[in-house]
Amino acid sequence: MKTFMQFLESSGKIFYHGSMDNLPVGTILTPRNEYEKDWQNTDFYKPLEMYRPPHMLAHKDSVFMCDNIDDIDLAGGGTEYVFTVQPIGKIEKHDLNWSSEISALIGDGKHITDPEVKEAAENYWNGIPHHNESVWEYLTPKAKIIRTQEYETAEEED
């Protein structure tokens, strides 16, 4: 039977999570209690949650992952340590650049109910690649740390 790392390596999909704290291998990551408090005043959080389909994971109920170490900082993850993680539960894939699009639209004076804001939020939830470029973030309810390394020296696994 293949180990999870062998499965990931054979499937080509490895997930990373950035952290400011070093945690031991085997730790189960769960959603941060203060996530909503920390992000609720951004211009993209409320529209994303307003248009989130009920079957999708709420950000406050998710652990965030990337499939590229270089995207951790762009996605707002901690930059002291990188964990290779095993998702526990379903995995959702979203293009983070739609939240930037929402921020730009709100900054240009669009209201949260504007059709362009709604479309950008729906594109995020539907996993549609942004028309300029994509930065993918993955959401899962929990994740198990299977490897830890310092962010500055982190290398993606082959």
Side-chain angles (χ1 to χ4, degrees):
M1 176 175 233
K2 286 184 176 182
T3 67
F4 184 72
M5 281 304 294
Q6 290 168 330
F7 168 75
L8 287 177
E9 289 167 359
S10 67
S11 71
K13 186 58 70 183
I14 298 177
F15 296 103
Y16 304 98
H17 177 88
S19 176
M20 298 306 286
D21 301 313
N22 191 10
L23 300 172
V25 169
T27 299
I28 304 295
L29 300 174
T30 58
R32 293 184 313 123
N33 291 334
E34 62 279 345
Y35 180 87
E36 193 164 39
K37 179 178 73 81
D38 291 347
W39 290 90
Q40 69 184 347
N41 293 322
T42 63
D43 46 12
F44 61 84
Y45 183 80
K46 187 174 179 180
L48 283 177
E49 284 303 305
M50 180 176 170
Y51 295 113
R52 179 178 53 82
H55 66 280
M56 302 301 272
L57 292 167
H59 287 115
K60 68 182 180 72
D61 298 328
S62 300
V63 172
F64 290 76
M65 307 174 295
C66 295
D67 61 358
N68 181 332
I69 287 177
D70 294 334
D71 291 342
I72 291 172
D73 191 28
L74 294 171
T79 56
E80 291 295 319
Y81 299 94
V82 174
F83 307 138
T84 303
V85 296
Q86 174 184 352
I88 300 172
K90 74 178 187 172
I91 302 167
E92 296 177 0
K93 179 181 179 180
H94 307 291
D95 188 345
L96 190 57
N97 279 332
W98 288 112
S99 60
S100 298
E101 180 88 9
I102 292 169
S103 293
L105 290 167
I106 300 292
D108 288 343
K110 302 283 184 185
H111 188 267
I112 191 172
T113 58
D114 186 279
E116 289 179 83
V117 173
K118 181 180 180 187
E119 180 182 20
E122 289 173 344
N123 287 344
Y124 171 88
W125 290 112
N126 289 318
I128 295 172
H130 192 272
H131 48 82
N132 287 333
E133 63 179 319
S134 295
V135 175
W136 296 106
E137 67 179 1
Y138 297 81
L139 280 60
T140 192
K142 297 178 184 178
K144 180 179 179 180
I145 298 173
I146 55 178
R147 180 180 178 207
T148 184
Q149 54 191 321
E150 290 185 17
Y151 184 82
E152 289 182 7
T153 60
E155 296 179 12
E156 293 192 25
E157 299 177 31
D158 296 325

